[in-house]
Structures are given as C-alpha cells and as structure tokens.
Amino acid sequence: MVAVAGNSRGVGRPRAQGPSHSGRTTRQDVLTAAAELFTALGYSATSTRAVAERAGLRQASLYHHFAGKEDILAALLEGTVQPSLELARRLAAERGATPAGRLWALCRADAALLAGGPHNLGALYLLPEVRAERFAGFRRLRAELKQYYAELLTAAGPAEEDPAIRADLVFGLVESVILLRRETPERDPARLADATADAALRIAGCAQSLLGAVREEGRTLL
C-alpha cells in the first residue's frame, strides 16, 4: 500500500466531524480521501472541497496541510515511488546477493505496490497535469528508480540488446500492471506481481532452469 505518512493535525485546525476514528493523521486522511476521489471521479472533476468533506474536514483545515490540489497529487504520486526507491537503495548495498535475485525482488515489490492497495494510484501517472513543473520531484524519483533497474540489469549479465532499451522494457513491464489492474481489477495482486517479476527476469536473459532459484533468493531479500 502506498505510504501516506505525514505531519499530524495542527492546533486550531479542528475537524468538521470531530476527531478521526481511523487512527490516521489528518494529513493521511486527506491523502486517503483524495486517492479515492481522484481515481474514482477523476483529478480534474475533484475539488479540494470534496476532498475535505470526504476526509471529514473543513476546507480551511485542508489548506493547513496542503497548499492546494496539486500538492495533494504530488504527495500521492511520490508515495507510489518512494517505497520501491528505498528498497532499490537497500538492494544496491546487498553485495552478498546475485544481481538477478535483487532484480527479481525489486520488480516483485514494485509491481505489488502498483497492483495492490485500495486505489489504482498508478493510473494518475497518465494525467496530463503530471508533465507540469510542480511534479518534477516525482519525475526525479521515478528516474532514479529506473536507474537502479538499469544498473541491476547490467550487473545481471551482458545481453545483445542495448542496456537502455532493456531498462525501458523492464521498467515498462512493471508499470504495465497499472493498466492491467484498470482493465481486470479482479486479478490477484500477489500473483500478478510474481508473474511480472518472472517476466522481467526473462527479459534480463535469465535461463528458465535458473528462474526458480532466483525467485527464491528474491523472496528472501524481501
């Protein structure tokens, strides 16, 4: 599930409906409400007032945590990348593991993040608004994550294909679960994540006879 941790509610910014019973902070409640509305109704069709009402807040209280709707969207987008990026950084330091095992682990975790959770937040990548400068931070995080994919693919062994093309193919394969989830939401996220990671290893040139062992190593890394 995408992390939505953040600052707790500030003093003097009461909820419209009293304290939250969710156990989340006010910021988390706003992000949860926005995730539901952005994916169900559309980003353009959702107002900050609607997000505040869904979160049980006054609109003025929402602005205590976010400057506007773009800030909410940026937080949601970055939350779809940050967990995988943190894992990629950790895997990069796992010198005792094979590159193939680390690549499987990263692909599996990244695909599971995009395929799981109550809302298909990856679909927000397709919004034209995401090309704006406000979302440059999200694009930088995503580019850094893709670079880790490229490094693991290179370390996994030489191949005839251009390394940049292989990185594009694997990264695109993992993010394709966003569209698969939208078209067939009944798919089991865990099975989809496993199949995606296996397919990524085939693109990386992993022999079918070795795939089982690589998969098990990847699971231990997670």
Side-chain angles (χ1 to χ4, degrees), residues 34-70:
E36 178 183 354
L37 295 175
F38 289 172
T39 54
L41 303 180
Y43 175 73
S44 297
T46 302
S47 65
T48 54
R49 181 181 296 278
V51 173
E53 288 176 354
R54 182 59 59 92
L57 300 171
R58 297 183 178 90
Q59 190 174 16
S61 298
L62 181 149
Y63 290 124
H64 184 59
H65 299 276
F66 296 95
K69 195 166 70 167
E70 284 191 342

Side-chain angles (χ1 to χ4, degrees), residues 4 13 15 46 78 97 100 111 125-127 141-142 191 201 209 217 221:
V4 292
R13 300 291 178 175
R15 291 176 177 272
T46 302
E78 290 171 14
Y125 291 8
L126 306 177
L127 291 172
L141 291 175
R142 187 167 170 267
R191 292 184 63 185
L201 263 290
S209 60
E217 181 186 17
L221 292 170

Side-chain angles (χ1 to χ4, degrees), residues 12-174:
R13 300 291 178 175
R15 291 176 177 272
Q17 301 172 10
S20 172
H21 300 292
S22 67
R24 297 185 295 258
T25 66
T26 300
R27 180 181 172 87
Q28 289 171 323
D29 279 342
V30 170
L31 291 173
T32 299
E36 178 183 354
L37 295 175
F38 289 172
T39 54
L41 303 180
Y43 175 73
S44 297
T46 302
S47 65
T48 54
R49 181 181 296 278
V51 173
E53 288 176 354
R54 182 59 59 92
L57 300 171
R58 297 183 178 90
Q59 190 174 16
S61 298
L62 181 149
Y63 290 124
H64 184 59
H65 299 276
F66 296 95
K69 195 166 70 167
E70 284 191 342
D71 281 6
I72 299 173
L73 177 58
L76 289 173
L77 290 170
E78 290 171 14
T80 67
V81 178
Q82 285 170 331
S84 296
L85 183 54
E86 290 169 6
L87 173 63
R89 291 166 179 162
R90 178 173 69 79
L91 290 172
E94 289 278 358
R95 299 304 180 189
T98 67
R102 287 182 282 160
L103 178 62
W104 190 94
L106 178 57
C107 291
R108 203 279 176 193
D110 201 9
L113 181 71
L114 294 171
H119 309 295
N120 190 7
L121 293 178
L124 300 176
Y125 291 8
L126 306 177
L127 291 172
E129 290 86 351
V130 175
R131 295 194 292 269
E133 180 60 27
R134 174 62 187 84
F135 304 101
F138 159 68
R139 294 196 298 273
R140 282 194 297 270
L141 291 175
R142 187 167 170 267
E144 183 181 352
L145 176 60
K146 186 177 179 180
Q147 182 59 34
Y148 278 108
Y149 272 91
E151 291 172 2
L152 285 172
L153 279 162
T154 299
E160 295 180 1
E161 296 88 355
D162 184 320
I165 292 177
R166 287 204 301 161
D168 285 340
L169 287 172
V170 171
F171 201 63
L173 171 67
V174 171

